[in-house]
Amino acid sequence: CVTSDVQAACRDTAVTQELLKEGFHRDLLVKVELGEDAGGCAVAARMRLPPGIYVDPYELATLQQHNLTKAVLFPDVIDVEAPEYLAGDLLLLLFLEPDMRCSRCFRAAVPVHVRYHRPAEGTEEALVVLESPEVLLCCCHSRLSAECWEPAEVDTPCSSDSTRPCQWHSTKHRPAYEESMLRVPVGLREHSSLVCALTLLTTGLCSGLILTAACKYGHF
């Protein structure tokens, strides 16, 4: 009975994520409600971003300079122009701030951007799947319940503006698995011939107009 009660308490930790706004530029909001008091601990969400979505490292650096977001991105050098099929996964450690409306609640948001996808056949949408984040705690001055938390392999200080090492912990009993689905509009392969023809026609027409203007008004 005691073991069951401990496991039930550990499972009380809940994590949710929401994609705010519309289009290719969104805000990813992460909210965590801990199952036990973790006063004095740093709380973070570790999430793996698939190739279809990314965080702009330059934008992230600007937000951190203004103390609007605290996060660590791996790798920290990203080709923001690459399409989905030429990009790789990213690992984001997002530091969460206390939610004043709830003593055990934490939250944070970070801007994310959708990459362009290949044209698809028979559908005008591609799916980007965001897995549920992993909740991490870093407590330098307090102890966590060994029944609920275990050491995690995270080589990052307790805050994004500190260099002092600290041991992170992850939940032994993971929250219910949830994932977010992002629908990305894509072109249709059936339209490729039409698009190529129109592009070639438009390019030729514009080139002709530029050449005509150069011959008429240019000085050679």
Side-chain angles (χ1 to χ4, degrees):
C1 294
V2 175
T3 302
S4 299
D5 291 341
V6 169
Q7 291 180 349
C10 295
R11 286 197 297 268
D12 284 341
T13 296
V15 54
T16 59
Q17 60 183 356
E18 299 178 46
L19 284 166
L20 309 178
K21 300 181 180 178
E22 299 292 336
F24 278 67
H25 307 285
R26 305 288 193 95
D27 284 338
L28 178 59
L29 173 63
V30 179
K31 296 184 288 186
V32 169
E33 183 175 356
L34 298 177
E36 60 180 287
D37 187 16
C41 299
V43 182
R46 179 166 60 176
M47 60 195 79
R48 188 169 298 278
L49 303 181
I53 195 170
Y54 70 95
V55 174
D56 188 334
Y58 306 104
E59 182 180 24
L60 183 60
T62 300
L63 291 173
Q64 296 200 115
Q65 287 177 358
H66 293 84
N67 203 29
L68 297 176
T69 297
K70 295 181 180 180
V72 179
L73 190 62
F74 305 97
D76 56 357
V77 177
I78 300 172
D79 185 356
V80 298
E81 301 294 336
E84 177 269 342
Y85 49 88
L86 295 179
D89 291 352
L90 301 175
L91 189 63
L92 177 68
L93 186 66
L94 181 63
F95 296 92
L96 309 182
E97 298 292 337
D99 190 336
M100 297 297 101
R101 296 168 294 182
C102 171
S103 61
R104 296 182 180 181
C105 298
F106 298 82
R107 60 188 289 154
V110 62
V112 295
H113 307 275
V114 182
R115 295 188 185 274
Y116 289 103
H117 288 60
R118 289 184 186 274
E121 188 171 349
T123 178
E124 297 181 355
E125 291 181 334
L127 293 180
V128 176
V129 179
L130 289 177
E131 297 180 356
S132 179
E134 179 185 5
V135 180
L136 298 175
L137 291 187
C138 185
C139 304
C140 296
H141 304 292
S142 61
R143 299 183 62 183
L144 291 171
S145 169
E147 293 83 1
C148 297
W149 302 89
E150 61 184 356
E153 295 183 4
V154 180
D155 187 19
T156 302
C158 280
S159 66
S160 60
D161 52 5
S162 172
T163 58
R164 189 177 68 173
C166 189
Q167 177 63 62
W168 288 89
H169 290 78
S170 61
T171 56
K172 284 186 176 180
H173 304 278
R174 295 293 302 277
Y177 182 82
E178 293 183 3
E179 57 186 23
S180 299
M181 307 287 286
L182 177 62
R183 299 182 182 275
V184 183
V186 297
L188 291 173
R189 291 182 182 175
E190 301 92 292
H191 296 165
S192 58
S193 298
L194 178 60
V195 171
C196 290
L198 289 176
T199 301
L200 182 61
L201 179 62
T202 302
T203 302
L205 179 61
C206 292
S207 299
L209 292 174
I210 294 173
L211 182 60
T212 300
C215 293
K216 185 175 181 180
Y217 302 106
H219 299 282
F220 299 97

